[in-house]
Amino acid sequence: MKHVGPSAARFSDKMREECGIFGIHAHSDSAAHTTLGLHALQHRGQEAAGIVTYDGDHYHSHRSLGLVGDHFSSAVVIDRLKGHAAIGHVRYSTSGETLFRNIQPLFAEFAFGGLAIAHNGNLTNAISVRRRLVERGCLFQSTSDTEVIIHLIAISSYATVVDRMIDALRQIDGAYSLIALSNEALIGVRDRFGVRPLVLGRLEGALILASETCALDIIGAEFVRDVEPGEVVVIDSEGLRSMRPFPPAASKFCIFEYVYFARPDSQVEGSNVYDVRKRIGAQLARETGVAADIVVPVPDSGVPAAIGYATESGLPFELGIVRNHYVGRTFIEPSDRIRHLGVKLKHNSNAGTLRGKRVVLVDDSIVRGTTSEKIVNMVRDVGAAEVHMRIASPPTIESCFYGVDTPTRDDLLAARFDVDRMAVHIGVDSLAFLSPDGMYRALGRAGRDPKTPQYCDACFTGDYPIPLTDHKGGDDARQLSLLSDED
Amino acid sequence: MKHVGPSAARFSDKMREECGIFGIHAHSDSAAHTTLGLHALQHRGQEAAGIVTYDGDHYHSHRSLGLVGDHFSSAVVIDRLKGHAAIGHVRYSTSGETLFRNIQPLFAEFAFGGLAIAHNGNLTNAISVRRRLVERGCLFQSTSDTEVIIHLIAISSYATVVDRMIDALRQIDGAYSLIALSNEALIGVRDRFGVRPLVLGRLEGALILASETCALDIIGAEFVRDVEPGEVVVIDSEGLRSMRPFPPAASKFCIFEYVYFARPDSQVEGSNVYDVRKRIGAQLARETGVAADIVVPVPDSGVPAAIGYATESGLPFELGIVRNHYVGRTFIEPSDRIRHLGVKLKHNSNAGTLRGKRVVLVDDSIVRGTTSEKIVNMVRDVGAAEVHMRIASPPTIESCFYGVDTPTRDDLLAARFDVDRMAVHIGVDSLAFLSPDGMYRALGRAGRDPKTPQYCDACFTGDYPIPLTDHKGGDDARQLSLLSDED
Amino acid sequence: MKHVGPSAARFSDKMREECGIFGIHAHSDSAAHTTLGLHALQHRGQEAAGIVTYDGDHYHSHRSLGLVGDHFSSAVVIDRLKGHAAIGHVRYSTSGETLFRNIQPLFAEFAFGGLAIAHNGNLTNAISVRRRLVERGCLFQSTSDTEVIIHLIAISSYATVVDRMIDALRQIDGAYSLIALSNEALIGVRDRFGVRPLVLGRLEGALILASETCALDIIGAEFVRDVEPGEVVVIDSEGLRSMRPFPPAASKFCIFEYVYFARPDSQVEGSNVYDVRKRIGAQLARETGVAADIVVPVPDSGVPAAIGYATESGLPFELGIVRNHYVGRTFIEPSDRIRHLGVKLKHNSNAGTLRGKRVVLVDDSIVRGTTSEKIVNMVRDVGAAEVHMRIASPPTIESCFYGVDTPTRDDLLAARFDVDRMAVHIGVDSLAFLSPDGMYRALGRAGRDPKTPQYCDACFTGDYPIPLTDHKGGDDARQLSLLSDED
Amino acid sequence: MKHVGPSAARFSDKMREECGIFGIHAHSDSAAHTTLGLHALQHRGQEAAGIVTYDGDHYHSHRSLGLVGDHFSSAVVIDRLKGHAAIGHVRYSTSGETLFRNIQPLFAEFAFGGLAIAHNGNLTNAISVRRRLVERGCLFQSTSDTEVIIHLIAISSYATVVDRMIDALRQIDGAYSLIALSNEALIGVRDRFGVRPLVLGRLEGALILASETCALDIIGAEFVRDVEPGEVVVIDSEGLRSMRPFPPAASKFCIFEYVYFARPDSQVEGSNVYDVRKRIGAQLARETGVAADIVVPVPDSGVPAAIGYATESGLPFELGIVRNHYVGRTFIEPSDRIRHLGVKLKHNSNAGTLRGKRVVLVDDSIVRGTTSEKIVNMVRDVGAAEVHMRIASPPTIESCFYGVDTPTRDDLLAARFDVDRMAVHIGVDSLAFLSPDGMYRALGRAGRDPKTPQYCDACFTGDYPIPLTDHKGGDDARQLSLLSDED
């Protein structure tokens, strides 16, 4: 899901998955299970959440800024969300009223009934389609590209919801997984490249759709299979129907889901994420080994790769950096004069472990490099003898346009500097990245197929599998609304 | 403005004006002046308020439940509402999120730019037009009939905003005054019968539109004239243009504005409201005189008529009933066992004034009669010798469908009983109403013209000047949304 | 009740009663009835309220900023306030946490049990007593002088609660009425001069104490009698005991309760407040008659006197100034440039009534004169021919130290100017005040007894009946707390 | 700090440190640095926080429920907390107003000036002392035992703050570290057994007191030394004075600080906590080795010991259980029917890692055993072949009365069952605990000295070094207030 307005990534030094989605059909505790499922997907979006249920007569909706656990778990909320079918959504977001109108699932009423849609991903021709729709007299209420889909459904000349939705999706490009709830069915769709994940599960006869398997685990549901690229699944009282209405395409699953986005306990496209990360770490050790005393992860995301690295290299694995999980959502650095203290809000280096040691510091990726620089400083401050940084992915040199909140290219450290200058910039004795081929090998491939890469790795290679229609228009073209975003 | 959901009038014993509107063009303090104007119009709607401004590039919006003075007066809010043109709206409302999406002004973006609309009144064919639009693929976000106008504008084949708006309004029936703000102009429209008020004012060269003149007074603006029935005024950098694009019709200004809705210090259609009310009271004394000791108003609405009655009758005017203005917006009666105490939250009878007296009690109208009954009880409880109730309007026997929140016909006391039985019901020694002709005489007419009444007095006569298209469909037809209202 | 910090009177142009109190014993709906009683006393204090109940085992407390109707009327609150005895308090206040610790009733636990105290008035030697107590090791938690009483009770060497309370009150000077609730009894006390009001009522066998009779009316209770100056009433399972433990003194009831504080429907010390105000208006007409066309009150406080004036003078009574009751509690004037518009937030002059007229404007008092000046301007702006202001009390030339929030002497217009210069200052054609003797005559006396005035009229005369021990120390002495007030 | 009311430990399966404290003297950013210090100590108390500053004239206070980062980091809050000296406090707590009055630092005003106190620990004779004080006429405002100290200071016959504080502390028993701020000085005290930690630091000449060194790290301050058991340090414009006014005693530092409470990056009594925990894990492996495939920590607290165990045993260290850090503070389990799903809110087992494996599960301690049971179930559910639980401390068989929130003895699993039955209860193939001697060895001792244990290990041994005066009175004696706790 895309929105206009200050990008959260401007302030973070991580790429951020923008959404997690969940849906359940024909279960008496649909709202409660959706709440749990969204909680398990919270790592994919922590700023806002929404659930829509359908009870056979009415749709019920609850949306809120903040964490699922803080805003959706009370009996009052759950009881109001009546019905045997539900879909939900977690997302990142900006602030203020603008945001509120963008919280998903979006709901619309058509001549044929209601439809709620929750969407993970990004449409790459949304702006041009939107312009065409506005000219036709369609009124947009949000700046979300999901609303483009809804209008295309509203004006489709097909008769059924499913046909209208397929008609709509055929007109758009992009990377997306989506879950929709109509009067008759729960519907799941993955784009034809399968960039974003979507899995199918089962609990006591009820079928479930979710971004990751960890959302099945939390409710005790069984993992059935991945929804396939280009597949439409329709779940109704008759059971599940599968359709493949889009032109076939080579699978392009987002490789960064393995690097950082997905939860380590999820099974993604056939692989356990934690295992992949350990294999990446081992591969990294083989490619970039260095004489050192200890292997220290940048917590929490660097931990599995660091374990793999330590095991492969035979060096001790040590928690030399401690993370404070109580940072909260609103920590404002207290004053200009002490702004430089900010980095320690989240991490502290453990002098007892690091002093005098040659340290291999393992992190999953470098985006802006601001955090890396501060952490290296902290490690040096407590007396580390050498600091060798090892990154469990190739250099991030391009922005993502497929549903991930990334800085613009100019803010990516690896787009500005070569590896040697990056090493100087962040202050390490040595710096090394995993090779693209190494990455593919950790995923069980012989290497990257340069002609038809087996994954979407555009952020490492600039090789974008889906056309970036809107992007060509430049940034000005992205001003979607006359209504001020700050209000 | 109409909405689906629990009608506030279900719980009140007054008819309630549903909206007040205000707009200002080409003034550097547009938002602050709109805040003040809405504050002066607060009696027309106390539950929610909204302002939209336009700064030449962006529209800025702030909407809130509650009083204008509590939510729009901070510098933070005013500063965010940038621009030299603004429109605003106050309204009654229900509760919850449903409500929030209905707070006006509504804002929409078209191919040609933005448009904000604030609307006072009710469209009488909104549901049938809405159905036609939904079938065409229009997506509705609110249950407000104002949104019907917006969609009609969006799909109009005319080129300019003004032409599209006129095209849209030609397709709807109803009683309305509306103010719109586009990229180019501030626009004011009154329906061709002129049922709801709209006045034009001027302040330091800036032109202003408002429901009542009291909104001009508060900002020190000069009253220019009433916008006329069926008139469209377009205010832009060229000044003011006036158009009359609708079929001409006999003026049907709402007579109840004089009885209760308008503020006593407003000039409405050429008359000062306080003066009219005193003349009504005098006429009432002439028509319904009775031997008594004192004239006591039911505060606050009965006060001007009671002054007129007292002067005409030569009886002393006494504040025998005291009103508590601190009731607040959320008083919940504390427990079932003491529910009967509720009436005294708002009024108390003054024993010192009433004991042993023959009292003429003057009120503006009787709707359900519940308050009248309680007040008469209070007056008797402190020892009044006789209670004669005199009502400064004819019996209210029909619902309003032109923008006023009234109970259904079955809940109107005068629709259920004749005057004698009403007197028994509320427990008075005598009860009398103003005659329809007396009402027209107080307004300076020779009497009511039965063939073409000079005002809309449908609530007293059942004589509805504008067709009630939607109403014929019955109540079922009014379920506009699949989205549950309670959420 | 006195507190340190920004005085609300600094911002208002009215003297303000600081508190209203209520207590009920042996009633199954004690909390609900206390809520209603406080609501009826809301005019005595609108910023904060509190209730403490006792259920035989525990005390229960609820305190809140804001109106009683907004914060005490929910079933949740009432149900938590368990017990058959309750006391409550409404007050003015400042803002922030400082304030919160000052909301009454104060509650304390002693070796012998609990005690809650609600207090209306002001102790005039509180600071010197407090200093002595702090030196002894007493810890103060608030800046309220009520806490002085509580500490004196705690360290008293007497055995019973009542004896300890009498022991405590013998050590303090001041004007106060107080209601206390202990494990055994509901206790009411009026200072020996009887400056502040306190009445006794009865409902279904339960005895009630309240500041004014309007709090009895709202719950349907019967007025029994005023608690007398210097009387202590103890209400427990045995019934009511009356004691007179203090040295006798001549009664000095606050004459300003008649002028402005009390509600017009209350019976105060044997007189109906509305009647007194009308008699004051009539006396004012006799003393200060002037050739004019209409009599116009400054609403709402000037209305009864204006009725009396109009009747006595034979001039028509007209509502030439309309009051907007929706001002809300937080109206912030929107910007510096339009600050001058602020006065119209609350009042508007009715041109239709005033134009070309010689107007007698009647108000209850002049404090700073700022409001008078603005209202006179408004009346002139709409074209009044002459404006004659008549004030229904003598000039206010001194501050009150007995529980009323007044500006310092230097801010009182009548302390700075003689009547002629006041007239010029506020811009009227003539200005006249009621004479002190006229005031006493309206109260049924032959005139003011200069040797032993029958009322406390210190604000008009500077004749303070109770010693101002603390006041002699100057303002510095009033800094009670090292804890910053703004926090 | 102790309080009456529902113990948080009733709902948790962890022992919980109840407080963290911080103070800084003579620094221009005292409030901002205290905010950061408290943030670093957030693991010691997450429910409420408070800061008091002194600016030479006034004390300023801000207290709030919730996380430091959410409520103390705004510029508005920091700017209001003026002054060059500050103390702060984080704590666990219950809910409602009761709680609010218990948030520390407590502030009191004495004849000699103000004093703020922040306290970590528990007084074991607070109730008996409190009773004596109440009989003397002292009024208590909170149920915190810290207030006992304040009253003892208030009534002390000594002249200076420091002498009065020492006089007060001589009258109480208990385990405590406290930081106080007076008009003249920042004061730190540790009880004579040194049960709770307190360290001294320095930043740019300013001296700092804090519960742990991680609070020094976050502001870039240097660790000077531990405050010693029984030491009073007085920090004023003259620098630091050290006193030892209490009878000497053998040091009894809380051994559980090493096991669980302290942050791994803190230096506590000369040892790095992370190192100690790894040594504990290694010792555990030596004492309780078992044939297995992988070592899996229960995150996050079991991680360091599991690393030690894995290294010592040569088994691979694997993150087989993933923790969800987004649980939030208010997750309510959605409905009774799915309550059993609750455990997965926080943890999920990673099937990919565990399936078919013989797993050594390492946790820091077992309190109630409820979490252990659920985690073992989860591990078995995904197909682990064997589950061997190893606990990095001896069995917890007794409650703590020295400032840690523990369940009552009857709820401690190890107090109800022997190790074999515990193993059956939680469903493991084998269960083993660290021996007391092994614990002491990991701390660098030859073993536990049974006559004079070098630490307080009462929770493992029942050997309480400080008399439990209040505890003897039974639970009834602990009802401290007549004011209901729920309000």
Side-chain angles (χ1 to χ4, degrees), chain B residues 103-129:
Chain B
I103 299 180
Q104 295 209 2
L106 290 190
F107 176 75
E109 304 191 41
F110 305 91
F112 55 79
L115 188 72
I117 298 189
H119 169 215
N120 169 216
N122 190 34
L123 309 189
T124 55
N125 66 341
I127 295 173
S128 38
V129 175

Short mmCIF file of all heavy atoms in Angstrom, two decimals, chain B residues 103-129:
data_model
loop_
_atom_site.label_atom_id
_atom_site.label_comp_id
_atom_site.label_asym_id
_atom_site.label_seq_id
_atom_site.Cartn_x
_atom_site.Cartn_y
_atom_site.Cartn_z
N ILE B 103 -19.20 14.42 9.26
CA ILE B 103 -19.00 15.83 9.62
C ILE B 103 -18.69 16.63 8.36
O ILE B 103 -17.88 16.24 7.55
CB ILE B 103 -17.84 15.99 10.63
CG1 ILE B 103 -18.15 15.25 11.93
CG2 ILE B 103 -17.62 17.48 10.95
CD1 ILE B 103 -17.05 15.37 12.96
N GLN B 104 -19.34 17.77 8.22
CA GLN B 104 -19.10 18.63 7.06
C GLN B 104 -18.08 19.71 7.43
O GLN B 104 -17.77 19.88 8.58
CB GLN B 104 -20.43 19.26 6.66
CG GLN B 104 -21.42 18.22 6.18
CD GLN B 104 -22.39 18.80 5.18
OE1 GLN B 104 -22.31 19.95 4.80
NE2 GLN B 104 -23.32 17.96 4.73
N PRO B 105 -17.61 20.50 6.51
CA PRO B 105 -17.81 20.40 5.06
C PRO B 105 -17.24 19.11 4.48
O PRO B 105 -16.19 18.64 4.90
CB PRO B 105 -17.02 21.60 4.51
CG PRO B 105 -16.82 22.52 5.65
CD PRO B 105 -16.77 21.66 6.85
N LEU B 106 -17.97 18.55 3.52
CA LEU B 106 -17.41 17.45 2.73
C LEU B 106 -16.43 18.03 1.72
O LEU B 106 -16.63 19.13 1.20
CB LEU B 106 -18.53 16.69 2.01
CG LEU B 106 -19.45 15.86 2.90
CD1 LEU B 106 -20.35 14.97 2.03
CD2 LEU B 106 -18.68 14.96 3.87
N PHE B 107 -15.38 17.27 1.47
CA PHE B 107 -14.38 17.71 0.49
C PHE B 107 -14.20 16.65 -0.57
O PHE B 107 -14.17 15.46 -0.25
CB PHE B 107 -13.04 17.96 1.19
CG PHE B 107 -11.95 18.32 0.23
CD1 PHE B 107 -11.91 19.58 -0.34
CD2 PHE B 107 -10.97 17.40 -0.12
CE1 PHE B 107 -10.91 19.91 -1.25
CE2 PHE B 107 -9.98 17.71 -1.03
CZ PHE B 107 -9.95 18.98 -1.59
N ALA B 108 -14.09 17.06 -1.82
CA ALA B 108 -13.85 16.09 -2.88
C ALA B 108 -12.88 16.68 -3.89
O ALA B 108 -12.77 17.90 -4.02
CB ALA B 108 -15.16 15.71 -3.57
N GLU B 109 -12.18 15.78 -4.56
CA GLU B 109 -11.25 16.23 -5.59
C GLU B 109 -11.73 15.75 -6.94
O GLU B 109 -12.05 14.59 -7.12
CB GLU B 109 -9.86 15.66 -5.31
CG GLU B 109 -9.42 16.07 -3.92
CD GLU B 109 -7.97 15.78 -3.67
OE1 GLU B 109 -7.15 16.00 -4.57
OE2 GLU B 109 -7.67 15.32 -2.57
N PHE B 110 -11.76 16.66 -7.87
CA PHE B 110 -12.23 16.38 -9.22
C PHE B 110 -11.07 16.57 -10.17
O PHE B 110 -10.01 17.06 -9.79
CB PHE B 110 -13.36 17.35 -9.58
CG PHE B 110 -14.49 17.35 -8.60
CD1 PHE B 110 -14.49 18.22 -7.52
CD2 PHE B 110 -15.54 16.46 -8.74
CE1 PHE B 110 -15.53 18.22 -6.62
CE2 PHE B 110 -16.59 16.45 -7.83
CZ PHE B 110 -16.58 17.33 -6.77
N ALA B 111 -11.32 16.20 -11.39
CA ALA B 111 -10.30 16.43 -12.41
C ALA B 111 -9.95 17.92 -12.48
O ALA B 111 -8.82 18.30 -12.74
CB ALA B 111 -10.79 15.93 -13.75
N PHE B 112 -10.94 18.78 -12.21
CA PHE B 112 -10.73 20.21 -12.37
C PHE B 112 -10.24 20.89 -11.09
O PHE B 112 -9.98 22.08 -11.07
CB PHE B 112 -12.03 20.88 -12.83
CG PHE B 112 -13.18 20.62 -11.91
CD1 PHE B 112 -13.32 21.32 -10.72
CD2 PHE B 112 -14.13 19.65 -12.23
CE1 PHE B 112 -14.39 21.07 -9.88
CE2 PHE B 112 -15.19 19.39 -11.38
CZ PHE B 112 -15.31 20.09 -10.21
N GLY B 113 -10.11 20.16 -9.99
CA GLY B 113 -9.67 20.78 -8.74
C GLY B 113 -10.47 20.27 -7.56
O GLY B 113 -11.20 19.28 -7.67
N GLY B 114 -10.35 20.97 -6.45
CA GLY B 114 -11.05 20.55 -5.23
C GLY B 114 -12.35 21.28 -5.04
O GLY B 114 -12.60 22.32 -5.67
N LEU B 115 -13.20 20.75 -4.19
CA LEU B 115 -14.44 21.42 -3.84
C LEU B 115 -14.87 20.98 -2.45
O LEU B 115 -14.94 19.79 -2.15
CB LEU B 115 -15.56 21.09 -4.85
CG LEU B 115 -16.85 21.91 -4.68
CD1 LEU B 115 -16.62 23.35 -5.14
CD2 LEU B 115 -17.99 21.29 -5.48
N ALA B 116 -15.14 21.97 -1.60
CA ALA B 116 -15.68 21.69 -0.28
C ALA B 116 -17.10 22.22 -0.23
O ALA B 116 -17.38 23.30 -0.76
CB ALA B 116 -14.83 22.36 0.79
N ILE B 117 -18.01 21.46 0.38
CA ILE B 117 -19.41 21.87 0.45
C ILE B 117 -19.93 21.78 1.87
O ILE B 117 -19.74 20.75 2.53
CB ILE B 117 -20.31 21.01 -0.47
CG1 ILE B 117 -19.88 21.16 -1.94
CG2 ILE B 117 -21.78 21.40 -0.32
CD1 ILE B 117 -20.84 20.52 -2.92
N ALA B 118 -20.60 22.84 2.31
CA ALA B 118 -21.31 22.84 3.58
C ALA B 118 -22.77 23.11 3.30
O ALA B 118 -23.09 24.02 2.54
CB ALA B 118 -20.75 23.93 4.50
N HIS B 119 -23.63 22.36 3.95
CA HIS B 119 -25.01 22.26 3.50
C HIS B 119 -25.94 22.31 4.70
O HIS B 119 -25.72 21.61 5.68
CB HIS B 119 -25.10 20.91 2.75
CG HIS B 119 -26.48 20.46 2.41
ND1 HIS B 119 -26.82 19.15 2.43
CD2 HIS B 119 -27.58 21.14 2.07
CE1 HIS B 119 -28.11 19.03 2.08
NE2 HIS B 119 -28.57 20.23 1.86
N ASN B 120 -26.96 23.16 4.61
CA ASN B 120 -28.01 23.21 5.64
C ASN B 120 -29.33 22.92 4.96
O ASN B 120 -29.74 23.66 4.06
CB ASN B 120 -28.03 24.62 6.28
CG ASN B 120 -29.26 24.87 7.15
OD1 ASN B 120 -29.78 25.97 7.20
ND2 ASN B 120 -29.73 23.85 7.85
N GLY B 121 -29.96 21.84 5.36
CA GLY B 121 -31.24 21.51 4.74
C GLY B 121 -31.35 20.02 4.52
O GLY B 121 -30.67 19.23 5.19
N ASN B 122 -32.18 19.63 3.58
CA ASN B 122 -32.39 18.22 3.33
C ASN B 122 -32.85 18.03 1.89
O ASN B 122 -33.71 18.77 1.41
CB ASN B 122 -33.47 17.68 4.27
CG ASN B 122 -33.56 16.18 4.21
OD1 ASN B 122 -32.54 15.51 4.04
ND2 ASN B 122 -34.76 15.64 4.34
N LEU B 123 -32.27 17.04 1.21
CA LEU B 123 -32.71 16.73 -0.14
C LEU B 123 -33.82 15.69 -0.05
O LEU B 123 -33.69 14.70 0.67
CB LEU B 123 -31.53 16.18 -0.96
CG LEU B 123 -30.26 17.04 -0.91
CD1 LEU B 123 -29.25 16.53 -1.92
CD2 LEU B 123 -30.58 18.50 -1.16
N THR B 124 -34.88 15.90 -0.74
CA THR B 124 -36.03 15.00 -0.59
C THR B 124 -36.05 13.87 -1.62
O THR B 124 -36.88 12.98 -1.54
CB THR B 124 -37.35 15.79 -0.65
OG1 THR B 124 -37.37 16.54 -1.86
CG2 THR B 124 -37.49 16.74 0.53
N ASN B 125 -35.13 13.91 -2.57
CA ASN B 125 -35.01 12.76 -3.49
C ASN B 125 -33.59 12.18 -3.47
O ASN B 125 -33.16 11.54 -4.43
CB ASN B 125 -35.42 13.14 -4.92
CG ASN B 125 -34.47 14.15 -5.54
OD1 ASN B 125 -33.72 14.82 -4.81
ND2 ASN B 125 -34.47 14.27 -6.86
N ALA B 126 -32.88 12.38 -2.37
CA ALA B 126 -31.49 11.95 -2.30
C ALA B 126 -31.34 10.44 -2.45
O ALA B 126 -30.42 9.96 -3.12
CB ALA B 126 -30.86 12.39 -0.96
N ILE B 127 -32.25 9.68 -1.84
CA ILE B 127 -32.07 8.23 -1.85
C ILE B 127 -32.27 7.67 -3.24
O ILE B 127 -31.50 6.83 -3.72
CB ILE B 127 -33.02 7.58 -0.83
CG1 ILE B 127 -32.59 8.05 0.58
CG2 ILE B 127 -32.99 6.07 -0.95
CD1 ILE B 127 -33.54 7.62 1.67
N SER B 128 -33.26 8.17 -3.94
CA SER B 128 -33.46 7.64 -5.31
C SER B 128 -32.31 8.05 -6.22
O SER B 128 -31.83 7.25 -7.03
CB SER B 128 -34.83 8.05 -5.86
OG SER B 128 -35.16 9.35 -5.47
N VAL B 129 -31.83 9.28 -6.09
CA VAL B 129 -30.69 9.68 -6.91
C VAL B 129 -29.45 8.85 -6.53
O VAL B 129 -28.70 8.39 -7.39
CB VAL B 129 -30.39 11.19 -6.73
CG1 VAL B 129 -29.13 11.57 -7.49
CG2 VAL B 129 -31.58 12.02 -7.21
#
